[in-house]
Amino acid sequence: SIVFSIAQGERSLRDEYDSGWAHNAGLPVSLSLGADGDLRLAPIEELSSLRQRQLLDLHTVSVDQAAQALAAIQGDLLEIELEVAPGPATGKRGLTLRAAPDGIEHTDLYVDTAQQRLEIDRRHATLDIDARSRGVQGGHFALGGENLRLRVFLDRSMVEAYVNERKSLTSRVYPTRLDAKGLGLLALPGDHVVSLKVWEMGAANGKQVMPATHTPSSR
């Protein structure tokens, strides 16, 4: 079974009129049943055909190594896959997205094992005082002793996340800074990164898109 959805925008009617569009199509999502009889959901397999240049491909590295490599990548048309083996500490694990170099604009997407929640924190997503895309969205999610497997799609204002094929979250962010395209890693002491992959994401309609930028981590 495949589900199609519309991700409603949260801008004012004036902003929608000025931009010439409102709302957006979400990614097609495949539904299935797991061995435990619970629902599983994931983006359809065909979305892998949108992958362009691979910007990062790390395996079994420390949190510091992964964070340094991730900080060298920028973009707002990206697919990110992260798997973290959590240590004993409880708290927030995930990604910082759409971050300006000085951090004044950024969006945090994470699983909080202390609160057992999947959340997106948009309190610092934009400097626009009239923007409605603010606050924290999310819902209950218990990691249950598994590794955290997070798959994220960035498509301009769209943020779509899938966690362990058991929960998904779709949100909108509208940074004002043109350089708010940085990435970061959220992790805790004792964690280690099993894998971290990043791809440029091409357009579904075949149109050419501007590439992401990759700065060598040594700079």
Side-chain angles (χ1 to χ4, degrees), residues 60-192:
T60 315
V61 296
S62 69
V63 166
D64 289 343
Q65 289 172 314
Q68 183 179 8
L70 196 60
I73 297 174
Q74 295 188 338
D76 58 5
L77 285 166
L78 301 172
E79 179 185 349
I80 307 165
E81 284 189 355
L82 170 67
E83 181 175 354
V84 174
T90 58
K92 298 175 181 178
R93 297 174 171 90
L95 296 164
T96 295
L97 311 167
R98 301 302 306 273
D102 58 7
I104 195 168
E105 287 187 335
H106 67 274
T107 297
D108 290 340
L109 174 69
Y110 53 82
V111 168
D112 187 339
T113 52
Q115 302 297 322
Q116 294 195 349
R117 287 181 62 83
L118 164 65
E119 293 183 334
I120 185 168
D121 184 345
R122 307 177 303 169
R123 289 176 294 181
H124 305 284
T126 180
L127 297 176
D128 183 357
I129 61 174
D130 294 323
R132 302 177 185 179
S133 295
R134 294 184 178 274
V136 179
Q137 290 179 309
H140 178 265
F141 176 77
L143 197 55
E146 297 180 77
N147 285 353
L148 171 63
R149 301 188 307 277
L150 185 61
R151 189 176 180 190
V152 179
F153 294 85
L154 296 183
D155 187 1
R156 308 303 191 200
S157 67
M158 292 283 290
V159 179
E160 293 200 40
Y162 300 84
V163 182
N164 291 45
E165 296 189 340
R166 291 196 280 122
K167 294 289 183 180
S168 69
L169 184 152
T170 299
S171 189
R172 309 296 291 274
V173 294
Y174 300 96
T176 62
R177 294 268 297 266
L178 295 178
D179 59 355
K181 296 182 179 181
L183 302 174
L185 181 65
L186 302 175
L188 298 170
D191 294 353
H192 77 267

